[in-house]
Amino acid sequence: MAVTETREITLSDSPSGKLQTQNFALSTTPLAEPGDGELLIRLLYISIDAANRAWMQGRTYRDQVLPGTKMAGGALGQVVVSNHPGFKAGDLVEGDMGWCEHVVLPGDAVAKRTQRGPLTHLLSILGITGKTAYFGMLKIGAPKKGETVVVSAAAGAVGSVAGQLAKTHGARVVGIAGSDRKCQWLTDELGFDAAINYNKEPVVKALKQAAPNGVDVFFDNVGGDIFEGVLFRMNMRGRIVCCGAVSQYDTETPTHGPRGVPGLFVTKRLKIEGFIVSDFADQFAQAEAELAGFAAQGHIKVAEDIVEGLENAPQALVGLLGGENLGKRLVHVADPQG
């Protein structure tokens, strides 16, 4: 086997406050030959997500990332050597491969992917990001024509797709983001009807103008004060989709829970549902087909923010948590071969 070692990034120590690049270390480590049923995979792109930070804080829907271990993360790769009957060299695969250049994994730990459009779309609009937006917005939020939908972290990977999906169903969509640049991008480029810069004025006040008829569906990626602000503008029998809580991930002192709970849920008969995308695994093929159609027809604009080089993955995550990115942030590790 030609590949005998790989570069990888480990979590050197758990952050006590905001994540810093110094919390990571880059090293070269030996790579074992793939055994029966295993694959040697070359990573092409790594997905950078706010959830990466949450995994450092404790066990969630996956094990905690502990100091001294390889940083976990979803990735798109290409099979170099296959000892599994379901794969051959050259196949594209997606899975939790971690932050590295090569990895040996059981074939059952990854999913085979077929390229549809740009390769990067397999991790953005056609990947976990797009599917999270699809199921959260369309299956849980279920916006109807004429309703008002609010999306927090709207300029991010999931939020930007979720808002556009609501537009395809005839809803009026308001995005919440952290800068005027992002707000202008949401309205001018992605077709949101309005956008709120939460750093300029309280969300509950801004929503009186941006959503004068109240809010029917709230797709929340943030939690904290923004969740509270939207909660007070929810309409009777509104739906709240809890996708994430990025405001609580990168801090030593998470904020208090929102006021109005459970009182407003009772008086307004609100529904709130949290989810992770794997809840809908049996519907992935349908979602991918519909998302590919939306993108091909121009109903959804795919926004990708690509950082070059494995060594820059730590800064890519720190920057994402600081709000640098527009759309899906990826790290380009290598080009496909063959």
Side-chain angles (χ1 to χ4, degrees), residues 42-84:
R42 174 192 299 109
L43 274 72
L44 306 178
Y45 289 93
I46 294 171
S47 175
I48 302 296
D49 303 287
N52 294 144
R53 178 66 178 88
W55 300 340
M56 303 173 196
Q57 294 179 322
R59 181 173 176 81
T60 55
Y61 50 85
R62 56 154 298 137
D63 290 338
Q64 181 181 359
V65 178
L66 296 171
T69 61
K70 181 172 66 171
M71 183 59 204
L76 179 71
Q78 185 178 38
V79 176
V80 178
V81 175
S82 173
N83 289 330
H84 188 289

Side-chain angles (χ1 to χ4, degrees), residues 45-194:
Y45 289 93
I46 294 171
S47 175
I48 302 296
D49 303 287
N52 294 144
R53 178 66 178 88
W55 300 340
M56 303 173 196
Q57 294 179 322
R59 181 173 176 81
T60 55
Y61 50 85
R62 56 154 298 137
D63 290 338
Q64 181 181 359
V65 178
L66 296 171
T69 61
K70 181 172 66 171
M71 183 59 204
L76 179 71
Q78 185 178 38
V79 176
V80 178
V81 175
S82 173
N83 289 330
H84 188 289
F87 300 87
K88 65 181 185 302
D91 282 348
L92 295 172
V93 291
E94 181 185 0
D96 186 351
M97 304 181 202
W99 290 8
C100 57
E101 292 179 328
H102 291 83
V103 67
V104 173
L105 287 174
D108 296 341
V110 297
K112 189 184 296 187
R113 300 304 307 273
T114 300
Q115 185 171 355
R116 306 170 78 166
L119 193 61
T120 51
H121 281 197
L122 293 177
L123 283 181
S124 60
I125 186 67
L126 304 181
I128 297 302
T129 295
K131 294 184 181 79
T132 297
Y134 177 92
F135 292 116
M137 181 58 77
L138 301 187
K139 300 299 183 180
I140 299 175
K144 302 177 181 65
K145 185 176 181 180
E147 289 189 323
T148 296
V149 173
V150 171
V151 180
S152 62
V158 173
S160 60
V161 176
Q164 292 183 84
L165 284 169
K167 288 294 295 179
T168 68
H169 282 61
R172 183 175 190 276
V173 179
V174 179
I176 301 174
S179 71
D180 287 342
R181 177 180 74 101
K182 289 184 175 182
C183 288
Q184 185 173 358
W185 180 69
L186 290 171
T187 55
D188 293 357
E189 298 294 327
L190 301 192
F192 282 52
D193 296 284

Side-chain angles (χ1 to χ4, degrees), residues 24-326:
F24 299 93
L26 176 65
S27 62
T28 300
T29 184
L31 198 63
E33 281 197 56
D36 289 343
E38 292 186 326
L39 310 171
L40 168 63
I41 302 166
R42 174 192 299 109
L43 274 72
L44 306 178
Y45 289 93
I46 294 171
S47 175
I48 302 296
D49 303 287
N52 294 144
R53 178 66 178 88
W55 300 340
M56 303 173 196
Q57 294 179 322
R59 181 173 176 81
T60 55
Y61 50 85
R62 56 154 298 137
D63 290 338
Q64 181 181 359
V65 178
L66 296 171
T69 61
K70 181 172 66 171
M71 183 59 204
L76 179 71
Q78 185 178 38
V79 176
V80 178
V81 175
S82 173
N83 289 330
H84 188 289
F87 300 87
K88 65 181 185 302
D91 282 348
L92 295 172
V93 291
E94 181 185 0
D96 186 351
M97 304 181 202
W99 290 8
C100 57
E101 292 179 328
H102 291 83
V103 67
V104 173
L105 287 174
D108 296 341
V110 297
K112 189 184 296 187
R113 300 304 307 273
T114 300
Q115 185 171 355
R116 306 170 78 166
L119 193 61
T120 51
H121 281 197
L122 293 177
L123 283 181
S124 60
I125 186 67
L126 304 181
I128 297 302
T129 295
K131 294 184 181 79
T132 297
Y134 177 92
F135 292 116
M137 181 58 77
L138 301 187
K139 300 299 183 180
I140 299 175
K144 302 177 181 65
K145 185 176 181 180
E147 289 189 323
T148 296
V149 173
V150 171
V151 180
S152 62
V158 173
S160 60
V161 176
Q164 292 183 84
L165 284 169
K167 288 294 295 179
T168 68
H169 282 61
R172 183 175 190 276
V173 179
V174 179
I176 301 174
S179 71
D180 287 342
R181 177 180 74 101
K182 289 184 175 182
C183 288
Q184 185 173 358
W185 180 69
L186 290 171
T187 55
D188 293 357
E189 298 294 327
L190 301 192
F192 282 52
D193 296 284
I196 294 169
N197 179 352
Y198 64 82
N199 283 314
K200 275 194 164 180
E201 60 180 325
V203 167
V204 67
K205 178 182 177 182
L207 278 173
K208 291 180 181 179
Q209 180 175 346
N213 296 321
V215 179
D216 300 294
V217 178
F218 177 33
F219 190 104
D220 184 40
N221 295 296
V222 175
D225 292 339
I226 291 176
F227 183 102
E228 179 179 300
V230 180
L231 179 61
F232 278 87
R233 295 293 299 164
M234 293 297 298
N235 286 333
M236 190 71 72
R237 301 193 185 282
R239 290 90 71 198
I240 299 175
V241 183
C242 286
C243 181
V246 69
S247 70
Q248 311 300 299
Y249 297 161
D250 199 28
T251 177
E252 192 173 8
T253 55
T255 59
H256 58 78
R259 293 171 295 177
V261 177
L264 288 174
F265 285 95
V266 175
T267 58
K268 293 190 175 185
R269 286 71 155 179
L270 302 177
K271 290 183 179 180
I272 181 169
E273 184 171 346
F275 77 105
I276 58 174
V277 69
S278 58
D279 297 340
F280 299 90
D282 60 336
Q283 301 174 54
F284 276 9
Q286 173 193 342
E288 189 168 330
E290 290 193 29
L291 288 164
F294 284 135
Q297 295 158 19
H299 297 312
I300 291 180
K301 293 184 179 179
V302 182
E304 296 172 340
D305 182 346
I306 300 174
V307 175
E308 288 292 331
L310 172 68
E311 64 278 4
N312 292 317
Q315 182 55 55
L317 178 56
V318 170
L320 178 140
L321 294 169
E324 285 181 358
N325 61 301
L326 292 176

